[in-house]
Amino acid sequence: PAFQDSVFWRMITLSLGIGALGFIDDKFGMKPVVKLVGQLSIASMVYFWCGISFRSVLPMLPWWIDFPFTVFWIVGAVNAFNLIDGLDGLASGLAFIASVGMAVTLALTGNPDSTLFHFAFAGSMLGFLRYNYNPASVFLGASGSMLIGFVIATLPLAHQVPNSFLVSIGVPLLAMGVPIFDTALAILRRTIR
């Protein structure tokens, strides 16, 4: 009920968009700046077209803080999962752990509808992990890893409930701690060189 049908289909459309962006990168290669512009555009559409942001959990945020914070959150998650997809099963395993963690937290706060969405995503990650675990026979690529990051970032924002700051930010941030730390180290190493 909290996730209206129109917003659901808009989010499906944007998910297909981020997957298509990753597919083009996988198939033909894409300059990082072009890929970043595409990610920023899709994240901006999440804010303006779908109306999904941090404002429902932090209503005191003005739009000029809420908008860049939401876009940064989504683009950061997309790139964090994209960059960590080097080891077999790592990105899908972290997504599974994050989804289960968010589902359990939502179940404890009494939100069964949102819990089902997270368990469904966790189930898809578990099914994929069977073939992506070492030695992997199937790989995520940019399309899969970017889609996972997009879902992990937007699903908690779309299913916010009162006092859901932990679900919206805390649990995904814990799950993304490894990719964020890995990304920060990569940036630091390249800066030093």
Side-chain angles (χ1 to χ4, degrees):
F3 202 27
Q4 299 175 359
D5 286 346
S6 60
V7 177
F8 175 79
W9 290 112
R10 289 174 185 177
M11 286 302 297
I12 292 291
T13 304
L14 294 179
S15 298
L16 291 171
I18 201 84
L21 185 70
F23 177 77
I24 293 168
D25 186 34
D26 285 334
K27 188 78 173 171
F28 306 107
M30 189 181 290
K31 290 184 178 178
V33 174
V34 176
K35 187 163 59 171
L36 182 62
V37 168
Q39 293 168 350
L40 289 170
S41 301
I42 291 171
S44 298
M45 290 179 74
V46 169
Y47 184 87
F48 290 112
W49 192 38
C50 301
I52 293 173
S53 70
F54 284 99
R55 192 177 292 181
S56 54
V57 75
L58 296 169
M60 75 291 292
L61 280 179
W63 77 267
W64 49 271
I65 293 175
D66 187 37
F67 170 65
F69 188 48
T70 302
V71 170
F72 177 77
W73 172 256
I74 294 169
V75 173
V78 165
N79 284 304
F81 274 91
N82 189 22
L83 288 172
I84 204 167
D85 187 37
L87 291 172
D88 294 344
L90 185 56
S92 50
L94 284 173
F96 171 74
I97 292 167
S99 300
V100 169
M102 288 184 284
V104 169
T105 309
L106 282 166
L108 293 174
T109 59
N111 195 342
D113 295 333
S114 300
T115 302
L116 289 176
F117 273 87
H118 287 85
F119 272 132
F121 186 67
S124 68
M125 289 297 96
L126 189 61
F128 181 79
L129 190 57
R130 179 174 183 262
Y131 300 99
N132 187 235
Y133 195 72
N134 190 28
S137 59
V138 178
F139 302 95
L140 286 170
S143 58
S145 59
M146 285 170 55
L147 178 63
I148 287 174
F150 183 77
V151 172
I152 291 291
T154 56
L155 200 55
L157 295 179
H159 288 131
Q160 289 173 354
V161 291
N163 303 319
S164 67
F165 189 78
L166 176 67
V167 180
S168 301
I169 297 175
V171 177
L173 198 56
L174 284 173
M176 289 188 292
V178 173
I180 289 170
F181 182 70
D182 184 61
T183 304
L185 278 180
I187 292 169
L188 183 63
R189 279 194 308 264
R190 291 175 186 177
T191 304
I192 291 171
R193 287 182 190 165

